[in-house]
Amino acid sequence: ALRLETGTREEILGRRHWEVYPGSENSEAGRLLRRAMEERTAVTLDHLYTWESGPARWLEMRAYPVPEGLAVFWRDISGRKAAEAALSRADITCNKNGVPFDPEKPFVTSGIRLGAPAGTTRGFKEDEFRQIARWIVEVVDGLAANGEDGNSDAEAKVKAEVADLCARFPLYPNL
């Protein structure tokens, strides 16, 4: 939170969330924090937060019960959210999933899943999955170079190529 906020360490540490962020008691984050305290359970939330000064960032909040109350950690996930959205616009679906043998707890999603079962059901082999990997790189590199507003050409190109690939491997070829 200290890297994301303009407040000092003394203004944030040891204070209740709603003291640092007045008006958040009835927000989604406030309700989740209250639940974490009442049930003594760890919680996580992805939240689009807009600062009063204007900028908006996607934040992942994780709260863990500790003897003194809750330990709350915030992480900026705006880049991940932008990549997920850009890939979705290019018709490449990804979602968050646990990674095998990851030391994190199961509720902490450390990786993405790109739907290999959906591809193998269509009959994709190694060459098709390599092509999908190239498309992912093309979309994400375009996003990094051009920003969200300047990536539409790369996304549209990949989307058309994804449609061509899926047409060659229909889910129900006999229909």
Side-chain angles (χ1 to χ4, degrees):
L2 291 172
R3 284 184 295 224
L4 301 170
E5 280 292 343
T6 56
T8 66
R9 180 179 182 90
E10 292 74 29
E11 292 171 329
I12 294 176
L13 290 179
R15 297 185 61 209
R16 293 176 186 250
H17 175 85
W18 9 92
E19 292 172 345
V20 178
Y21 304 103
S24 67
E25 298 90 345
N26 295 315
S27 69
E28 186 177 10
R31 288 188 297 276
L32 197 66
L33 290 171
R34 190 170 289 106
R35 189 184 114 218
M37 278 298 292
E38 290 169 0
E39 297 175 15
R40 303 305 294 163
T41 187
V43 295
T44 186
L45 169 71
D46 291 357
H47 176 71
L48 182 61
Y49 184 81
T50 303
W51 274 264
E52 288 181 11
S53 59
R57 305 296 293 173
W58 275 99
L59 302 176
E60 177 185 66
M61 178 195 72
R62 295 182 187 175
Y64 306 91
V66 295
E68 299 82 14
L70 287 178
V72 181
F73 301 91
W74 296 90
R75 177 171 65 157
D76 187 337
I77 57 168
S78 300
R80 182 184 83 198
K81 289 290 194 175
E84 288 174 6
L87 289 168
S88 180
R89 289 189 296 270
D91 280 349
I92 297 174
T93 302
C94 64
N95 58 24
K96 298 175 289 182
N97 279 280
V99 176
F101 310 109
D102 189 342
E104 290 285 359
K105 293 179 174 54
F107 75 91
V108 177
T109 53
S110 300
I112 62 169
R113 180 176 180 166
L114 297 167
T120 56
T121 299
R122 287 179 173 273
F124 292 0
K125 301 287 187 214
E126 291 85 359
D127 288 343
E128 288 78 25
F129 283 106
R130 283 188 192 95
Q131 180 58 54
I132 292 167
R134 286 191 289 272
W135 287 332
I136 292 168
V137 170
E138 186 174 345
V139 169
V140 173
D141 281 355
L143 183 64
N146 305 311
E148 290 181 71
D149 296 331
N151 203 35
S152 59
D153 289 345
E155 293 166 11
K157 175 185 171 291
V158 168
K159 182 176 182 166
E161 292 172 2
V162 166
D164 289 343
L165 175 66
C166 289
R168 290 196 324 263
F169 293 88
L171 277 174
Y172 305 104
N174 298 327
L175 291 182

